[in-house]
Amino acid sequence: MTSTSPPPAPATERLPLRERKKLRTRQALVDTALRMFTERGFDATTLDELCEAVEVSKRTFFRTFASKEDVALAPVQDLWHAVLDDLSTRLPDGRPVLHQLQDTMLATVGRMAADGWTERLRASRRLISQVPAVEAHSLHFCNRTSRAAIAILRQRLALPDPGDPRPRLALGMLLTAVDCALDAWASRPGPATRTGLAADLRAAFAAIPDGLTLTAGPAGPGPR
Amino acid sequence: MTSTSPPPAPATERLPLRERKKLRTRQALVDTALRMFTERGFDATTLDELCEAVEVSKRTFFRTFASKEDVALAPVQDLWHAVLDDLSTRLPDGRPVLHQLQDTMLATVGRMAADGWTERLRASRRLISQVPAVEAHSLHFCNRTSRAAIAILRQRLALPDPGDPRPRLALGMLLTAVDCALDAWASRPGPATRTGLAADLRAAFAAIPDGLTLTAGPAGPGPR
DNA sequence: AGGCTTGTGCCACTCAGTGGCACAACAGAG
DNA sequence: CTCTGTTGTGCCACTGAGTGGCACAAGCCT
């Protein structure tokens, strides 16, 4: 993973000029990309155009992001990086792994600090819904993230051996629920709020056990 | 989805010459691609080389497949297309949706008819594990497939409204389990068998509820 | 201030992917 | 069997994401 997520805002002032400039460039690329991709379309916006708007070379773009999709996904990736960070430091308790993961997710959302993060996250998630290449890239990133989460958990918990599918299944449930929540939240008109996202996440997490037991009768003959 | 999966083998002889030639070309591209990608690497094999080996133009390649990844994924996609076909015709019963989906999956595996399908499926799944671009593409395809499955189910069952996350969660569980099973099966040395795949699928399906409840104590201080 | 390290832009290039078009091959009717 | 219409193929030129090399600029540290 080439993208580097920004460190917490308060520590930024202590970084050398070089680092600060890099972060500024990164942020300018993300903000401009989200704006241009949203206004004119992902495929219709070339990297040449994006780099000209930000006044950096394409070479610099690729030093900052691994791909065109990566810049579109940066806000989502930043969120998941923060989740993994939290998971790395969080004390495990005796509850089911899935519940611990859910709490980590909610705690991270409660702690996101970057100015405007919710608007950027929403724009990013909307691109996922609208652009096949971005969606594919996002799914791949989430898959890698779930593997990283399992690796972190493996250091802290006595997880079953790597051939056992249960940790993967637990992470899969979490990811599907988070995706449903993000989709619902990002689709909603009005301001993108932290509390709205947390509510959507809680609702999706609560629905997970029902995925196991959902039954449905035959479709009725009535109008649909 | 540009790729067209081959019809059941016995009906092939009734097709016009044009159709038969197209299927032959498609199969030659799949077989040669799997071989070349496996021997020398996906990224190290260019489409020019593949098309020269099969003696078709690149233009024809792109009339047959939507992308380079698609040809690598063809066997996996063929399997899922068959699953969706089965789902379209299967009579719904009153059991949980997830169980019905599992049975559909197993029935389809029991019914796959193309010569050598297991070896091709295994080669394809191995490329998914080894090549990031193929894995991303596969995840995206499976995501689209789960949406298609929900659409099919929606016509036959009184599923909850589209905003309800439970059908997505059920499909997510199925897909994660199938992926675990395919991964385990494809990683195994020796012949790729139908019964081996069915066994792996059954084991993964049985593990799904445990994903909900999995608990793990703190990692021990022992050597790891 | 000077020397070293790191970052940037420029350039040439590759390769997946696209669209247009002339010609070839097939299908079906008479 | 012939003829005509339909469909498929290959060729060609091109685009844009992505890559690697290298000279020079900018920052850092003594």
Side-chain angles (χ1 to χ4, degrees):
Chain A
M1 293 204 262
T2 303
S3 294
T4 56
S5 51
T12 308
E13 278 71 28
R14 297 209 189 82
L15 294 172
L17 182 61
R18 270 175 168 156
E19 294 298 321
R20 272 183 277 132
K21 291 182 76 171
K22 277 170 65 180
L23 291 173
R24 240 179 266 143
T25 298
R26 182 182 188 276
Q27 197 71 337
L29 283 167
V30 172
D31 290 342
T32 308
L34 291 176
R35 179 173 55 76
M36 289 174 94
F37 294 162
T38 299
E39 284 172 4
R40 39 211 297 200
F42 181 82
D43 293 321
T45 307
T46 65
L47 285 178
D48 282 337
E49 289 167 335
L50 171 60
C51 292
E52 184 175 339
V54 179
E55 295 181 320
V56 295
S57 71
K58 221 159 81 174
R59 194 70 191 82
T60 294
F61 175 88
F62 281 111
R63 290 197 183 98
T64 312
F65 297 101
S67 66
K68 188 180 177 184
E69 290 80 15
D70 256 12
V71 73
L73 287 179
V76 170
Q77 292 178 356
D78 292 347
L79 174 64
W80 282 109
H81 286 142
V83 172
L84 290 186
D85 284 347
D86 193 273
L87 195 58
S88 298
T89 58
R90 177 166 282 253
L91 288 179
D93 58 52
R95 289 176 305 144
V97 170
L98 183 56
H99 289 175
Q100 296 184 52
L101 291 167
Q102 288 165 10
D103 286 348
T104 303
M105 188 81 226
L106 287 164
T108 304
V109 165
R111 230 181 262 135
M112 292 293 283
D115 261 5
W117 72 273
T118 56
E119 291 297 340
R120 275 196 285 276
L121 181 63
R122 181 162 66 171
S124 188
R125 186 58 186 75
R126 284 176 174 176
L127 287 173
I128 290 169
S129 296
Q130 289 155 14
V131 185
V134 179
E135 186 180 39
H137 214 83
S138 173
L139 288 163
H140 192 220
F141 169 77
C142 288
N143 203 40
R144 296 198 310 274
T145 300
S146 76
R147 289 202 288 258
I150 291 174
I152 291 170
L153 289 175
R154 186 141 265 143
Q155 293 178 0
R156 313 170 70 71
L157 301 174
L159 281 194
D161 68 82
D164 190 307
R166 288 176 295 163
R168 285 252 346 258
L169 289 162
L171 260 296
M173 292 173 190
L174 178 83
L175 282 170
T176 308
V178 171
D179 192 56
C180 289
L182 281 171
D183 190 20
W185 174 76
S187 307
R188 201 164 291 130
T193 66
R194 188 195 305 261
T195 55
L197 177 55
D200 282 315
L201 285 169
R202 283 196 196 92
F205 294 157
I208 293 177
D210 290 345
L212 258 193
T213 57
L214 177 67
T215 59
R224 286 188 300 260
Chain B
M1 294 207 263
T2 303
S3 296
T4 57
S5 51
T12 309
E13 279 71 25
R14 297 211 191 81
L15 294 173
L17 181 60
R18 268 176 166 152
E19 294 298 321
R20 274 182 277 132
K21 291 182 75 170
K22 277 170 66 180
L23 291 174
R24 240 179 268 141
T25 298
R26 182 181 187 278
Q27 196 73 332
L29 283 167
V30 173
D31 289 342
T32 308
L34 291 176
R35 178 172 57 74
M36 289 173 92
F37 293 162
T38 299
E39 285 171 4
R40 33 204 308 190
F42 180 82
D43 293 323
T45 307
T46 65
L47 286 178
D48 281 338
E49 289 166 336
L50 171 60
C51 292
E52 185 176 336
V54 180
E55 295 180 321
V56 295
S57 70
K58 222 160 82 174
R59 196 68 190 85
T60 295
F61 175 88
F62 282 110
R63 288 198 184 97
T64 312
F65 297 100
S67 66
K68 187 180 177 184
E69 290 79 16
D70 256 12
V71 71
L73 288 179
V76 170
Q77 290 177 359
D78 292 346
L79 174 65
W80 281 109
H81 285 142
V83 172
L84 291 186
D85 283 348
D86 193 284
L87 194 59
S88 300
T89 57
R90 178 167 282 255
L91 288 180
D93 57 52
R95 290 176 305 143
V97 171
L98 183 57
H99 289 177
Q100 297 184 52
L101 291 167
Q102 289 165 9
D103 287 348
T104 303
M105 188 80 226
L106 287 164
T108 303
V109 166
R111 229 181 264 134
M112 292 294 283
D115 263 3
W117 72 274
T118 56
E119 291 296 340
R120 277 197 285 277
L121 181 64
R122 180 162 66 170
S124 188
R125 185 58 187 76
R126 284 177 173 175
L127 287 173
I128 290 169
S129 297
Q130 291 156 13
V131 185
V134 179
E135 185 180 38
H137 215 80
S138 173
L139 289 162
H140 191 220
F141 169 77
C142 288
N143 203 40
R144 298 199 308 276
T145 300
S146 75
R147 289 202 288 260
I150 290 172
I152 290 170
L153 289 175
R154 185 140 265 145
Q155 292 178 2
R156 312 169 72 72
L157 302 175
L159 283 193
D161 68 82
D164 189 308
R166 288 176 294 164
R168 283 248 354 252
L169 289 161
L171 261 296
M173 292 173 189
L174 179 82
L175 281 170
T176 307
V178 171
D179 192 56
C180 290
L182 281 172
D183 189 21
W185 175 75
S187 307
R188 203 163 289 131
T193 66
R194 189 195 305 260
T195 54
L197 177 56
D200 282 315
L201 284 170
R202 284 197 194 91
F205 293 156
I208 293 177
D210 290 343
L212 258 194
T213 58
L214 176 69
T215 58
R224 281 187 307 254

